[in-house]
Amino acid sequence: MEKITIRKRPRSEAVITQRKFFKKTARGKVIKVLRERYLRDDVACGIQNCIACHSSLDSTLPVAGAPHPLFPDGHFVLPDTNVFLSQMDLVESPLFAPPIILLQTVMEEVRHRSLPLYNRLKALTKMDEKKIWVFYNEYRSETAIIREENETPNDRNDRGIRKATEWYNTHLQVTRPPIRGQPPPKIPTVVLMTEDAANRQKAEKAGMSGISVKKYVENLPEANQLLDLLSATGSDEIEPTRAAGIRQPLYPEYLPTATLIAGVKAGELHQGHFNANQYNYLEGNVPVPGFNKPVLLIGRENMNRAVNGDIVVVEVFGESEWKAPGDEVVDQDTTLKNDDVEGSEDEANESDDEVTARESRLTKSEETVRAIEKQPTGRVVGIIKRNWRAYVCHIDSTSLSSQNATSLAQQTVFATPVSRLLPRIRLRTRQAPTLIGQKILVTIDRWDVNSRYPEGHFVRALGKVESKEAEQESLLLEFDVRYRPFGKAILECLPPEGEQWVVPPKSDASPDWRDREDLRQLLICSIDPPACQDIDDALHARSLPNGNIEAGVHIADVSHFVHADTAMDKEAADRGTTVYLVDKRIDMLPALLGTNLCSLRPFVERLAFSAIWELTPDAEIVNVRFTKSVIASKAAFTYEEAQIRKDDPNQKDDLTQSIRLLNALAKKLKEKRMKAGALNLASPEVKIQLDSSESSDPIDVEQKELRETNSLVEEFMLLANISVAQKIQETFPQTAVLRRHLPPPKTNFEKLQDILLKRKGLRLDVSSSGALADSLDKCLDPQEPAFNTLVRIMATRCMLSAEYFCSGSVPRDTFGHYGLASPIYTHFTSPIRRYADVLAHRQLSASIGYTSLHPSLHSKSHVERVMDVINRRHRMAQMAGRASVEFYVGLALKGRNEREGKGGVREEAFVIRTFRNGLSVFVSKLGIEGLVMFKRDTKFDAENYTITVPGATSRSEGVTVAVFDKVVVNIEVEKDKNTQRGKVKMTLVSPVDSSGL
Amino acid sequence: MGSRVEILNDGGYRSDGRRQFELRDITINLAQQGQADGSAVITHGLTQVLVSVFGPREAKMRSQTIHDRANINVEVNVAAFSTGERRKRSRGDKRILEIGSTIKSTFEPVVQTTLYPRSQIDVYITVLQQDGGLLQACINGTTLALTNAGIPMADFVCAVTGGVHSTSALLDLTTLEENDVPHVTVAMMPKTGKVALVTMETRLHVERFEEIFRLAGEAGKVLHKEMKKAVMGRTSTLVNAMGSRGSGVDRDGDEQMNEL
C-alpha cells in the first residue's frame, strides 16, 4: 500500500522553492508563470551501502569508486553536459566504464540540446554494464540552486553541477567518518569532468577536482583505443587548430536561427529535408511545401555543408536563375582523387583552386535547357537540425601520409562512406594503418566554413572488407536496424515453459481457453515460401449447406504472448519489423515465439486469431466474424507443393478440395479488386541460391517465380486486412492503426509519360489508379515481353510509399489505399514479423470484447509516435533487404566470373535513364541497376532521351542508344584500389563495345 | 514534444519534485475575515481560495426560500490576477457557474439544512491563485468556512484530484499536470467513507478509474487530519482567549482575538 503524505514547503524558503518567470505565447502575449518546487532530503546518492541514504536497493555505484592513475583513492566521474553532447561515443564504448554520477541538470540540458543524444543517454542509464546513477540534484535541498540576477541559464547549470560535486565530496566524507584505532578510510573523489575550461577552473578554485575528457582518457590503460573515440569538437581548446584558421572560408556562414525561423514563417525561406543526389555529388535537392518540384541545389557552395537527411532552410533564387538538374554522372572518388587531406600546406591551396575549378566546370550547366525541366534552384542558408549518425566508411589508403605500417602517430585520413549520398569525412586517428582494408564506423562532429570536408571521429571497426560478418553488420548499421540479441528483461517476458509450452487441454477453467473457439477439427493448412519458419497465417475453406462457402484466415495469436507495456513489447515496437537479409533474419520477437510458440506449425495445437467469412460462390461477403481460437494445422505447404497438389486431378482428398475452393474464391476476389482499379505493380525481385545453409556462398541468382497459390494467399490476406481495418476503425475511430497509400501527385509521372510517348508512342493515363492499371496493361512491346514489367517497375518508382497512420490524425477521405484500390486497409496478418499487426490484433481483440484495450492504445499521441517509428523501420528494413540482395548478387557475379574465367558476366539489360556521359541500365535477370560510363565524348539529346556513342573504331558511325533500348552489358565486380570498396562495373557490349570508350 | 516537461520521470519524481502520492503543501487560515460569519483561506501549493460564509440568515428574496430547509447559495468569483494571464471573468461565465453549482450540490446533503427552514446560507468563494485543483480547494475551503461559521454538518467533506499518467497514478495535480493527464476530483466524507462528489472532465480509461478513485479516497483521509487539526487549533485558541487562563498564544498564526 502506497503511503499518501503531504509535503511541506516552508514559506520562509519561498525564494528557492518558488520560481517565477515570464513567457511569451505564440500570439505574443506575455504570461507570468509561477512554479513551485519541493525540496527533499531523501534523494539517494546511489552509492552502495551508504549509511545516510539507506533507501535505495538498486544503487549502482560501487562503494570504493573505481581506480584511476590520477586518483589513487578511487573516484566517481561527474560529467558536465558538454561531455555528453560531444563525446557520446566515448561514453557508450564498453571500454569506458567508470562509475558515473549523472545529474538531473545535465540530463535536462542534454534533452534541451539534442533529443537523439538524450535518448542514447537514457538507454545508457538502463544498461546493466554501465554504472550510472541519476542524481536528482534539483530536488535535493542541499544541491538545489536558483538562478541569480544576470546569470545566464548556462552559468546557472554549471554552478549547479559544481554544487552537486561539492555536495557529493562532503557527503562521502560525512558518511565515512574515521574510526579510532583503524587507518583512516579511503575516501574516493568525485571528479567533475568537463570540456569547459572556465568551469574547471572555478571548480578547482573551490577545492574540487576537475578534469578534461582528454586528460582523463589519456591516463587510462586503454587510452589508445579510447582516444580515437574522442570527437573533434572537443579538440579546439586543447590544440589550436591547424592553419585552417587563416584560410579563406569555402562556404558562406549560416544565418542565425531566429532569422531562419522568421524567414520560413514569412515564406521567404523554405524548410525541408536535404536529399543528396546519388549520381552527382555536387547536386542535391530539398522538397519543400512551397513548390511542386523540389528545390535544386547545385554546387558545393549552394549545398553549403548539408549532409543527406539534414533538415535545412533554403533560399530560392529568382526564376531567371532556375536550372534543370544535371544530366551527367559525377563521381566524387574520381574527381577528388588527389585532394589532400591536411589541406593546409601552401601547395594544397593550389590543389584547392584546382578542385574548385574542376568542380565549377562540372556544375556549369547548358544554357539551352528546356523550360519544362527547370526547377526552383536555391542555396542552403541554414540548418534547422543535423541528422548525423554513425556512418560505415572505408579508409582511403592514398590519404595516409605515413607509409610506416606500424606507426601509431596520429594522422589525418579520409574516410569514404559506403553510401554514395555522403561526402568524404576527414578523420584523425592513431590506428590508421590497422584500419586500412576494414569497414569502420565514423561519426561526423562538425563541418566548418573553411573546411571542404566534414570532420569526424572513429567509433569502431566492423571487420575486414568483404568478410560476411563485417558486410552484414555494416549493412545493419547503415539502415539503423536493431540487431543486438534480446536482453534478459525481454527474455523474461516469455512463457516460463519455453519450448515445452503447449496449448493446455480444453477446459472451462483454463485461462488460455477463455472465450476461444475450438477450431481444431477444421482442415486448416498453411502455404508459405520454402523453409519458412515463422508461419503466421493459415487458411481453410469449406462448403456450407446453404450453398455458400465458409473461408477462414487464421493468424498467429501473438498478442496472447506479447502484452502491452512489457519489455518485450517495447523492444518489438522499437524494432518495428523483422528484417530479412539473404542469409540472416533479424527477428522482431524472440525466436521462441516467432518460430515456435506463435508459428502455426502443422500437427500441433496453436492459439490463433481467426477471421471467418461466409462468402457466396461469387465471393460476395455475406458476413464476417472475428474470434480467438485454437487451431491445429493439418499441413504446411510451400507455394509449389500447394500448386502441384491443386493441379493434380488424382488428388481428391478434402484438404486438396479446400485448396481448390480457396483458389476459386481468390480468383474472383482478385478479379473484383482489379475491376475496382487495383494496380499490379512490379518490383525487381530475385532470389539468391545459396550453396548450403552453412557456407552461405551464393551460387546463383534467379528471378522469383510467382504461382497461382501466391496470389491465393495474397488475396485472402488482403481480405482479412480490409475486414479488420473496417472493424477496428469502427470501434476506435480515433486511434485505429491503419495503413494507407496516398495517390501520387501527377507531376511524379510527367517524366515517365514523356519518355513513353517519345520513345514508344504510348500514353500513360494517371488520372486514377484504375486508369493507370489499364494503361499499364497496354504498355506492351510485342518483341519484348519484359518491357511491360520494366514500365511497371518504373511506374512504381514514381509513386509514394504506403504508410501506417493513426485514424484520428488524418482526415477520413485520405484513408484510401491507392495501390490496392481499397478505401481502408491495415496490416493484420503477420504479427510475428510486423509490429503494426500486433497493435491491430490488440485493437481487434478489444473490439470483439475479448480483452480491454491498453490505455496507451487510447492515446492518439502515443499511437502516432509508434507509427512514426515503425514507418521508418519498415522503410529501412526494405532498403536493408535490397542492399543485402545487391551484395550477394555481387558475390554471385564474382563467383561466376571465377568459374567461367575472366571477362565478366554478360547479361541483357534495359536502358532506364540517359546521362550526358553515361547510361543507367537495369539488368532484369539479376535485379540490379548499374551505370555505364563513357569517357569519350558522346552526343547527348536530352529532348529525346538518347545518347549517341561513337563507334568502336573512330571511323565507324556512332550508335544511338535510347531509354528502353535493350543492350548487352558486361558486368564485373571491381574493387576501388584506394578504399577497397567493392563496385559493380558495367560496360556496354552491344550495340557497341564501350570498353575502349 | 522535445521541450515539454516530463510529468513523471524515471526516478519517480514529478515536475515539482514530489513523488506520485505526495500532496502539495497545504496551509489553512481560519481567521475572521470582515463581516463573514465564518471564513477560511486554504492553500494547496500555489492554489489559494478564500471562502466566506454568511448565515444562516433570512433570505433576501422571498422566492428563494424553501419552507422546510435552508437554501445554500454559492457564488464563485475568480480574481483576474489568479492566473498567469490576466483575464477578467464575468460572473455569468459558465465554467464558474458550474463550479458553483457543483459545490452547492456537494454540500446540500452534508449540511443539516433542515435545522434552518426558510433561511439561506451564502457561500462566497474568491479564487486568489490558481495552479490546478481549483475544485478541490473550493470544496475543502467551503467545508472549513462552514465549520468555522458553526453550521452543523454531518461530516467533513475532503476533496482531492487524482490523475493517471500512462499507467501510474498521481495525486493533487498542478495546472501543468492537469493539462496533460486525465483526472478525477473526488470529494469524500472521512468518517462515513461516503463519497459526496466524483467529477471528471477528461476521458479516463475504465480500468484506471478504480485505482484513482480509491487513492483519492485515501488521500481525502489524510487531508481530513490536516483540516481537523486546523479547526481544533483555531477552536482552542478561541477557547483559551475566552477562558480564564487565556495565554493569548497565537497557535495557528491567527490574529489575536482578545476582544472576544
Side-chain angles (χ1 to χ4, degrees):
Chain A
M1 178 64 208
E2 317 81 0
K3 198 166 170 335
I4 298 168
T5 49
I6 299 177
R7 277 224 80 79
K8 284 291 170 193
R9 188 167 67 87
R11 292 283 133 150
S12 53
E13 288 173 26
V15 187
I16 53 166
T17 58
Q18 226 163 280
R19 192 156 62 103
K20 186 174 79 175
F21 58 92
F22 292 89
K23 196 168 81 176
K24 198 175 157 198
T25 63
R27 285 210 207 122
K29 248 185 179 170
V30 175
I31 292 181
K32 184 171 88 173
V33 180
L34 196 58
R35 295 259 166 83
E36 55 180 348
R37 175 165 71 164
Y38 288 88
L39 300 180
R40 38 204 319 149
D41 297 324
D42 60 350
V43 180
C45 68
I47 299 169
Q48 284 157 6
N49 302 328
C50 175
I51 51 165
C53 322
H54 29 69
S55 58
S56 35
L57 292 164
D58 47 351
S59 300
T60 49
L61 305 177
V63 185
H68 188 274
L70 294 178
F71 309 103
D73 287 347
H75 75 296
F76 299 101
V77 173
L78 195 149
D80 189 4
T81 316
N82 48 36
V83 174
F84 294 109
L85 291 179
S86 57
Q87 310 291 8
M88 193 54 122
D89 285 320
L90 173 81
V91 183
E92 278 177 342
S93 159
L95 291 171
F96 183 81
I100 294 174
I101 298 163
L102 181 57
L103 296 184
Q104 178 192 12
T105 314
V106 174
M107 284 276 265
E108 271 163 18
E109 224 179 340
V110 171
R111 184 160 95 136
H112 211 75
R113 300 282 287 275
S114 155
L115 214 50
L117 279 179
Y118 173 73
N119 288 332
R120 278 164 78 183
L121 183 60
K122 250 184 131 173
L124 270 185
T125 59
K126 296 210 175 79
M127 266 160 69
D128 298 333
E129 305 89 274
K130 293 271 174 194
K131 289 170 282 209
I132 297 184
W133 178 258
V134 183
F135 180 65
Y136 290 89
N137 61 320
E138 302 280 355
Y139 299 146
R140 172 119 198 165
S141 53
E142 292 98 328
T143 52
I145 57 159
I146 42 156
R147 191 170 149 193
E148 280 164 3
E149 195 89 358
N150 299 329
E151 195 176 33
T152 65
N154 206 3
D155 287 344
R156 177 214 172 267
N157 287 341
D158 283 351
R159 193 158 56 83
I161 293 166
R162 287 198 304 274
K163 180 127 184 180
T165 317
E166 196 183 339
W167 176 81
Y168 254 103
N169 278 321
T170 40
H171 180 72
L172 280 172
Q173 261 157 20
V174 170
T175 54
R176 293 171 199 193
I179 302 163
R180 205 177 330 168
Q182 281 178 23
K186 273 190 176 181
I187 295 173
T189 329
V190 175
V191 190
L192 176 66
M193 184 191 267
T194 176
E195 302 279 71
D196 181 354
N199 195 9
R200 217 155 49 219
Q201 268 169 11
K202 278 186 194 157
E204 270 154 16
K205 212 182 248 170
M208 289 170 260
S209 36
I211 196 166
S212 74
V213 179
K214 187 154 189 241
K215 198 167 158 211
Y216 180 86
V217 171
E218 269 171 353
N219 286 298
L220 284 176
E222 304 91 2
N224 259 341
Q225 286 137 48
L226 286 175
L227 273 178
D228 270 359
L229 295 175
L230 283 190
S231 127
T233 32
S235 62
D236 255 5
E237 45 169 304
I238 302 158
E239 47 193 303
T241 345
R242 301 167 315 276
I246 43 166
R247 290 176 66 202
Q248 285 285 318
L250 287 161
Y251 299 100
E253 288 278 2
Y254 293 135
L255 299 178
T257 320
T259 321
L260 293 178
I261 291 168
V264 171
K265 224 174 182 180
E268 289 156 8
L269 303 174
H270 302 270
Q271 183 181 336
H273 278 276
F274 175 77
N275 298 320
N277 184 330
Q278 59 163 331
Y279 295 117
N280 183 344
Y281 79 102
L282 290 172
E283 200 180 291
N285 65 53
V286 180
V288 296
F291 294 96
N292 281 338
K293 286 182 174 175
V295 175
L296 188 68
L297 307 169
I298 299 177
R300 219 180 253 291
E301 273 98 284
N302 290 339
M303 285 172 23
N304 198 0
R305 294 172 281 156
V307 177
N308 194 44
D310 288 349
I311 299 174
V312 300
V313 173
V314 291
E315 176 193 57
V316 176
F317 299 143
E319 213 156 318
S320 57
E321 287 177 66
W322 286 12
K323 289 176 182 147
D327 32 29
E328 194 164 6
V329 179
V330 184
D331 191 19
Q332 165 161 232
D333 295 350
T334 38
T335 321
L336 302 175
K337 204 175 267 164
N338 304 319
D339 200 13
D340 190 44
V341 191
E342 286 294 345
S344 57
E345 264 67 32
D346 291 339
E347 54 193 337
N349 271 331
E350 250 166 68
S351 80
D352 265 359
D353 297 341
E354 199 183 310
V355 169
T356 321
R358 220 178 315 142
E359 285 181 349
S360 66
R361 203 168 58 239
L362 287 171
T363 50
K364 198 178 66 195
S365 73
E366 296 275 299
E367 295 305 313
T368 55
V369 219
R370 284 171 301 161
I372 183 170
E373 287 212 341
K374 278 198 178 169
Q375 246 172 273
T377 307
R379 67 186 183 95
V380 173
V381 291
I383 305 267
I384 297 290
K385 190 165 162 271
R386 291 285 192 191
N387 268 336
W388 290 347
R389 55 185 173 91
Y391 302 104
V392 180
C393 300
H394 302 268
I395 296 268
D396 188 348
S397 62
T398 48
S399 63
L400 238 66
S401 54
S402 155
Q403 291 309 307
N404 185 355
T406 53
S407 156
L408 275 182
Q410 190 166 58
Q411 52 182 316
T412 310
V413 293
F414 270 137
T416 317
V418 172
S419 164
R420 297 192 157 275
L421 302 172
L422 302 166
R424 293 202 280 190
I425 303 167
R426 192 154 48 190
L427 173 84
R428 291 166 76 77
T429 175
R430 286 168 192 279
Q431 316 171 50
T434 53
L435 292 181
I436 284 196
Q438 297 224 45
K439 290 211 150 187
I440 60 168
L441 214 52
V442 173
T443 306
I444 302 183
D445 297 325
R446 62 169 174 198
W447 196 344
D448 290 337
V449 280
N450 44 23
S451 155
R452 188 184 303 281
Y453 303 102
E455 267 170 66
H457 70 267
F458 165 77
V459 180
R460 75 193 162 92
L462 302 173
K464 264 222 113 17
V465 169
E466 290 207 325
S467 74
K468 283 210 192 65
E469 297 72 38
E471 293 291 344
Q472 203 171 67
E473 196 178 357
S474 78
L475 208 143
L476 295 174
L477 282 167
E478 196 65 7
F479 295 103
D480 203 12
V481 177
R482 295 289 139 101
Y483 60 93
R484 292 188 190 285
F486 291 97
K488 195 160 143 265
I490 295 159
L491 296 177
E492 270 165 11
C493 301
L494 295 170
E497 298 91 340
E499 299 270 344
Q500 267 72 50
W501 185 90
V502 286
V503 178
K506 185 174 180 178
S507 77
D508 291 339
S510 161
D512 289 339
W513 275 90
R514 181 180 65 89
D515 292 342
R516 267 183 203 277
E517 231 169 283
D518 184 358
L519 302 178
R520 288 177 294 180
Q521 78 295 347
L522 285 181
L523 285 173
I524 292 169
C525 67
S526 60
I527 307 176
D528 286 287
C532 177
Q533 287 180 304
D534 44 357
I535 306 172
D536 36 23
D537 50 81
L539 300 149
H540 89 274
R542 61 178 178 187
S543 301
L544 294 174
N546 64 1
N548 285 346
I549 302 161
E550 179 194 89
V553 167
H554 312 275
I555 308 296
D557 192 4
V558 171
S559 58
H560 181 82
F561 296 97
V562 184
H563 296 284
D565 215 8
T566 57
M568 183 152 69
D569 182 58
K570 284 203 183 104
E571 180 71 19
D574 189 31
R575 294 191 177 212
T577 169
T578 295
V579 181
Y580 292 89
L581 302 183
V582 172
D583 55 342
K584 196 177 168 151
R585 191 183 66 225
I586 293 103
D587 287 321
M588 179 182 87
L589 293 170
L592 176 67
L593 287 185
T595 61
N596 191 352
L597 303 192
C598 286
S599 179
L600 302 176
R601 296 206 242 169
F603 322 122
V604 285
E605 291 176 8
R606 287 284 178 251
L607 301 180
F609 206 151
S610 306
I612 298 167
W613 297 268
E614 187 181 336
L615 299 163
T616 65
D618 287 328
E620 296 292 339
I621 299 173
V622 179
N623 67 46
V624 57
R625 66 192 174 89
F626 306 99
T627 175
K628 294 262 185 171
S629 60
V630 178
I631 62 160
S633 170
K634 300 291 178 283
F637 296 118
T638 63
Y639 289 122
E640 196 176 1
E641 282 164 11
Q643 184 74 32
I644 291 169
R645 196 157 173 145
K646 182 190 80 73
D647 293 342
D648 184 358
N650 299 327
Q651 298 264 14
K652 291 217 169 63
D653 56 303
D654 288 346
L655 196 56
T656 316
Q657 296 293 4
S658 99
I659 295 178
R660 285 183 193 139
L661 208 51
L662 283 168
N663 192 50
L665 286 173
K667 272 188 184 156
K668 290 189 183 116
L669 285 170
K670 182 162 186 178
E671 196 184 293
K672 266 195 271 179
R673 211 161 50 83
M674 288 301 161
K675 218 178 262 170
L679 292 174
N680 194 356
L681 299 174
S683 55
E685 276 200 87
V686 292
K687 204 177 123 205
I688 311 281
Q689 284 248 308
L690 295 181
D691 194 359
S692 64
S693 51
E694 292 91 51
S695 73
S696 73
D697 277 329
I699 298 193
D700 215 340
V701 187
E702 59 183 45
Q703 262 174 308
K704 268 189 193 164
E705 223 177 307
L706 287 179
R707 293 191 175 78
E708 222 176 348
T709 42
N710 286 60
S711 143
L712 183 165
V713 174
E714 190 189 339
E715 287 308 320
F716 274 97
M717 295 307 132
L718 291 177
L719 187 64
N721 287 337
I722 292 169
S723 299
V724 170
Q726 282 161 351
K727 177 83 181 171
I728 58 177
Q729 202 272 332
E730 222 165 79
T731 328
F732 304 108
Q734 281 302 304
T735 56
V737 172
L738 300 177
R739 187 170 172 83
R740 65 172 177 176
H741 184 201
L742 289 172
K746 302 241 162 11
T747 47
N748 282 14
F749 286 107
E750 273 172 10
K751 187 132 188 190
L752 180 63
Q753 280 173 315
D754 193 44
I755 299 177
L756 272 173
L757 187 65
K758 285 199 176 125
R759 298 307 318 161
K760 295 279 178 182
L762 294 166
R763 273 178 205 285
L764 205 58
D765 184 358
V766 296
S767 53
S768 75
S769 63
L772 179 61
D774 286 344
S775 55
L776 276 176
D777 287 340
K778 289 190 196 106
C779 284
L780 291 172
D781 186 340
Q783 280 103 50
E784 200 43 75
F787 172 67
N788 187 266
T789 322
L790 183 71
V791 175
R792 281 182 201 279
I793 292 172
M794 288 171 76
T796 311
R797 289 189 185 169
C798 298
M799 292 184 200
L800 305 171
S801 51
E803 58 175 8
Y804 297 106
F805 69 102
C806 168
S807 62
S809 28
V810 302
R812 180 68 183 85
D813 56 342
T814 60
F815 280 14
H817 196 293
Y818 179 78
L820 297 172
S822 165
I824 191 165
Y825 192 66
T826 188
H827 268 166
F828 170 73
T829 51
S830 301
I832 297 179
R833 57 188 178 87
R834 290 187 306 229
Y835 188 69
D837 302 52
V838 178
L839 295 182
H841 271 237
R842 285 191 193 135
Q843 291 185 333
L844 185 64
S845 155
S847 72
I848 60 167
Y850 183 79
T851 50
S852 65
L853 196 60
H854 189 264
S856 65
L857 279 179
H858 277 305
S859 143
K860 205 161 92 181
S861 61
H862 177 263
V863 175
E864 274 170 20
R865 222 161 28 232
V866 175
M867 294 296 113
D868 279 349
V869 174
I870 56 180
N871 274 327
R872 205 177 124 253
R873 295 280 184 217
H874 188 86
R875 213 165 44 236
M876 288 299 190
Q878 276 182 335
M879 276 155 42
R882 250 178 253 147
S884 164
V885 168
E886 223 163 84
F887 170 68
Y888 272 93
V889 168
L891 276 190
L893 286 176
K894 213 169 134 196
R896 220 197 278 179
N897 267 358
E898 275 159 17
R899 276 197 308 279
E900 292 168 9
K902 272 263 170 213
V905 178
R906 289 191 177 188
E907 284 291 353
E908 288 187 343
F910 285 99
V911 178
I912 53 172
R913 196 169 163 188
T914 48
F915 295 99
R916 184 168 301 279
N917 57 349
L919 299 169
S920 172
V921 296
F922 175 71
V923 186
S924 55
K925 215 167 158 195
L926 302 172
I928 54 168
E929 235 183 281
L931 270 179
V932 178
M933 303 268 285
F934 306 115
K935 287 196 195 77
R936 284 239 297 270
D937 281 345
T938 51
K939 247 167 71 200
F940 174 65
D941 184 355
E943 197 83 31
N944 290 314
Y945 309 101
T946 60
I947 178 166
T948 308
V949 190
T953 56
S954 48
R955 305 267 169 74
S956 58
E957 187 96 341
V959 180
T960 307
V961 184
V963 173
F964 292 134
D965 280 2
K966 191 151 120 184
V967 294
V968 177
V969 289
N970 193 34
I971 309 166
E972 288 169 278
V973 182
E974 67 164 15
K975 264 199 230 167
D976 190 303
K977 278 176 215 73
N978 298 328
T979 58
Q980 301 289 302
R981 180 162 76 173
K983 224 159 107 180
V984 172
K985 187 187 165 197
M986 294 197 186
T987 43
L988 213 54
V989 178
S990 141
V992 66
D993 192 349
S994 76
S995 55
L997 299 175
Chain B
M1 297 268 293
S3 61
R4 295 287 294 277
V5 182
E6 268 180 309
I7 298 294
L8 188 68
N9 64 24
D10 289 340
Y13 297 105
R14 290 153 72 171
S15 57
D16 56 4
R18 280 183 295 154
R19 287 185 175 276
Q20 264 175 291
F21 306 118
E22 288 174 345
L23 309 179
R24 286 179 285 177
D25 182 34
I26 169 172
T27 55
I28 296 166
N29 182 358
L30 295 174
Q32 180 75 29
Q33 306 275 355
Q35 298 290 311
D37 293 313
S39 60
V41 179
I42 185 164
T43 321
H44 286 278
L46 292 176
T47 301
Q48 190 174 45
V49 290
L50 159 68
V51 184
S52 312
V53 171
F54 294 86
R57 61 187 181 187
E58 197 182 338
K60 276 183 189 139
M61 277 186 285
R62 290 290 293 276
S63 59
Q64 280 185 356
T65 51
I66 305 170
H67 73 94
D68 61 343
R69 58 189 168 96
N71 176 36
I72 299 176
N73 173 39
V74 181
E75 277 180 31
V76 182
N77 182 24
V78 179
F81 51 81
S82 66
T83 46
E85 192 182 2
R86 228 188 132 78
R87 180 156 150 222
K88 196 130 193 164
R89 294 189 109 142
S90 70
R91 276 152 100 61
D93 190 323
K94 288 278 186 284
R95 282 217 29 91
I96 293 172
L97 287 178
E98 194 194 347
I99 294 179
S101 84
T102 311
I103 294 167
K104 181 182 155 110
S105 55
T106 309
F107 281 93
E108 257 167 359
V110 185
V111 175
Q112 307 284 335
T113 46
T114 45
L115 297 177
Y116 310 104
R118 297 169 161 295
S119 52
Q120 175 168 314
I121 298 167
D122 288 304
V123 179
Y124 296 111
I125 299 175
T126 312
V127 179
L128 300 174
Q129 256 189 80
Q130 291 191 59
D131 184 29
L134 180 59
L135 185 59
Q136 79 179 38
C138 291
I139 291 176
N140 295 336
T142 309
T143 306
L144 290 164
L146 287 169
T147 321
N148 201 13
I151 295 170
M153 291 200 289
D155 199 352
F156 276 73
V157 183
C158 306
V160 178
T161 311
V164 59
H165 172 63
S166 149
T167 54
S168 26
L170 308 173
L171 285 175
D172 196 4
L173 310 183
T174 61
T175 305
L176 197 82
E177 290 164 336
E178 272 185 352
N179 288 340
D180 228 57
V181 153
H183 55 275
V184 196
T185 302
V186 178
M188 55 89 66
M189 292 185 272
K191 237 178 230 160
T192 49
K194 279 187 185 161
V195 173
L197 168 85
V198 181
T199 175
M200 182 160 73
E201 285 169 4
T202 40
R203 272 156 51 103
L204 176 68
H205 197 261
V206 191
E207 278 164 31
R208 303 282 139 214
F209 178 77
E210 193 191 334
E211 190 193 358
I212 306 283
F213 180 68
R214 182 180 58 78
L215 278 168
E218 294 291 325
K221 287 182 190 159
V222 177
L223 265 186
H224 172 239
K225 274 184 209 146
E226 195 73 15
M227 285 158 72
K228 200 170 153 189
K229 208 174 94 196
V231 174
M232 294 284 276
R234 166 73 180 167
T235 316
S236 54
T237 317
L238 290 180
V239 168
N240 285 341
M242 282 158 65
S244 51
R245 290 178 291 117
S247 62
V249 173
D250 182 5
R251 289 243 198 128
D252 214 55
D254 290 1
E255 295 156 38
Q256 292 200 347
M257 302 281 165
N258 286 330
E259 71 271 22
L260 281 172

